[in-house]
């Protein structure tokens, strides 16, 4: 079959032939029609993601949409190396293969499942979010961030604060449900002040962090409190991505002086059952009332030429 193949962590995947997958007991073969290029896919393909095994060669791609041999339209996840989803055929386990609801096409499902799941699982499974709570989103101008604004509102958020660097995208987020926006381009002290004003005046129950690094440090500084007589509200800080930096500096007093709870959300911190359930629920909502998301389809054979020049404002969806 034809597939994208990673043979080196320092080079883009190449379009080449690869042995067809052979299903074992409990597995299915999917004829792939669409597969999204998510940040985790890039991280695994260059060996930097914590899920990388270091084994070569392999087919990249962690999820996709396609059709079973009987024609059933499905969303599925990749479960057995070296086979990923950037191929004409993919192998998947039955338990991570979900029929697509009517009203949700395969390209859309492949493009929004991973970014949508990231905030759905973070809010419901990790933060135990309840309707009426408020959410601050760091990195809200990316594809996942834009979906998270919409998802938080659909789940009943009282207030959604969107923080990002793209001024135009921040303004657009107001029409998607953001009640307030904060620019991450501000100088550190001004940024801390802006976060602190939001936290003290309107309260923040959950922080969804897609960026880490300096923006996360600014939020944590805003959460920290001085004095010995204050009462600290509970704030669940859920770490989802690290597009700004992989590390931060955290003052120990921040944890002791506040109601801060640090959580992670991803493969390993959220169970696979929770992740599959998040996708299932997300799809049910998306099929009834579509989410706004920018997607761009590209033939899989062109993967090498576009790998190092990704779309900044859209999620690429490869089609075999």
């Amino acid at each position: 079959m034809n597939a994208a193949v990673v043979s080196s962590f320092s080079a883009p995947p190449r379009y080449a032939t690869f042995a067809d997958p052979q299903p074992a007991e409990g597995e299915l073969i999917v004829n792939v029609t669409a597969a999204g290029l998510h940040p985790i896919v890039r991280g695994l393909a260059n060996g930097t993601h914590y899920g990388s095994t270091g084994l070569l060669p392999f087919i990249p791609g962690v999820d996709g949409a396609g059709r079973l041999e009987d024609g059933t339209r499905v969303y599925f996840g990749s479960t057995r190396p070296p086979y990923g989803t950037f191929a004409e055929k993919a192998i998947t386990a039955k338990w991570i293969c979900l029929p697509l609801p009517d009203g949700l096409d395969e390209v859309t499902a492949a493009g929004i499942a991973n970014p949508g799941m990231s905030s759905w699982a973070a809010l419901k499974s990790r933060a135990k979010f309840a309707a009426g709570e408020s959410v601050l989103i760091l990195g809200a101008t990316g594809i996942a961030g834009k979906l998270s604004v919409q998802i938080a509102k659909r789940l009943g958020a009282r207030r959604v604060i969107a923080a990002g660097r793209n001024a135009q995208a921040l303004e657009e987020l107001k029409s998607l449900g953001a009640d307030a926006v904060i620019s991450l381009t501000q100088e550190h002290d001004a940024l801390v002040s802006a976060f602190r004003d939001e936290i003290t005046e309107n309260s923040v129950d959950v922080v969804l962090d897609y960026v880490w690094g300096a923006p996360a440090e600014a939020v944590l500084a805003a959460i920290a409190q001085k004095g010995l007589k204050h009462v600290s509200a509970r704030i669940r800080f859920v770490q989802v991505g690290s597009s700004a930096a992989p590390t931060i500096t955290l003052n120990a007093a921040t944890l002791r002086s506040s109601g801060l709870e640090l959580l992670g959300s991803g493969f390993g911190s959220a169970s696979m059952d929770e992740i599959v359930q998040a996708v299932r629920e997300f799809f049910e909502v998306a099929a009834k009332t579509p989410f706004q998301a920018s997607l761009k389809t590209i033939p899989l054979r062109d993967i090498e030429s576009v790998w190092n020049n990704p779309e900044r404002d859209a999620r690429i969806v490869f089609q075999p």
Side-chain angles (χ1 to χ4, degrees), residues 24-30 75-80 90-98:
E25 185 175 354
E27 294 180 331
L28 299 169
I29 293 294
V30 182
Y75 166 81
F76 67 99
S78 176
T79 57
R80 179 155 61 87
I91 197 166
T92 188
K94 291 180 180 179
W95 62 269
I96 199 171
C97 186
L98 308 176

Side-chain angles (χ1 to χ4, degrees), residues 78-247:
S78 176
T79 57
R80 179 155 61 87
Y83 294 101
T85 60
F86 286 11
E88 292 174 324
K89 295 180 182 293
I91 197 166
T92 188
K94 291 180 180 179
W95 62 269
I96 199 171
C97 186
L98 308 176
L100 285 179
D102 293 337
L104 188 62
D105 66 86
E106 289 150 51
V107 168
T108 300
I112 69 173
N114 179 272
M117 172 276 296
S118 69
S119 55
W120 195 284
L123 287 170
K124 297 199 68 176
S125 298
R126 301 297 292 151
K128 306 300 181 186
F129 173 81
E133 293 186 314
S134 61
V135 182
L136 166 61
I137 301 166
L138 290 180
T141 55
I143 300 300
K146 289 179 180 178
L147 280 170
S148 69
V149 170
Q150 299 172 71
I151 287 170
K153 277 298 187 180
R154 298 274 186 101
L155 292 177
R158 168 179 55 83
R159 185 173 177 82
V160 175
I161 308 98
R165 300 184 64 85
N166 186 315
Q168 180 180 343
L170 282 176
E171 284 302 309
E172 293 172 354
L173 284 172
K174 294 178 180 179
S175 66
L176 296 180
D179 299 288
V181 297
I182 295 175
S183 173
L184 295 180
T185 61
Q186 300 176 73
E187 182 267 341
H188 174 77
D189 289 346
L191 184 57
V192 172
S193 179
F195 285 137
R196 183 171 288 130
D197 288 346
E198 189 65 49
I199 291 169
T200 56
E201 294 177 11
N202 298 300
S203 79
V204 169
D205 299 293
V206 177
V207 178
L208 285 187
D209 172 35
Y210 284 93
V211 296
W212 207 229
E217 291 179 341
V219 172
L220 294 171
I223 291 172
Q225 299 189 51
K226 299 291 186 180
L228 300 176
K229 296 184 178 180
H230 59 266
V231 177
S232 299
R234 181 187 184 213
I235 299 179
R236 290 98 78 198
F237 188 111
V238 188
Q239 215 300 301
V240 185
S242 52
S243 61
T247 61

Side-chain angles (χ1 to χ4, degrees), residues 260-284:
L260 175 67
E261 299 176 10
L262 288 175
L263 303 163
S265 186
F267 295 99
S269 53
S271 72
M272 288 306 299
D273 285 343
E274 289 173 326
I275 290 173
V276 171
Q277 182 62 21
V279 173
R280 182 182 288 110
E281 293 175 357
F282 175 56
F283 278 171
E284 290 174 357

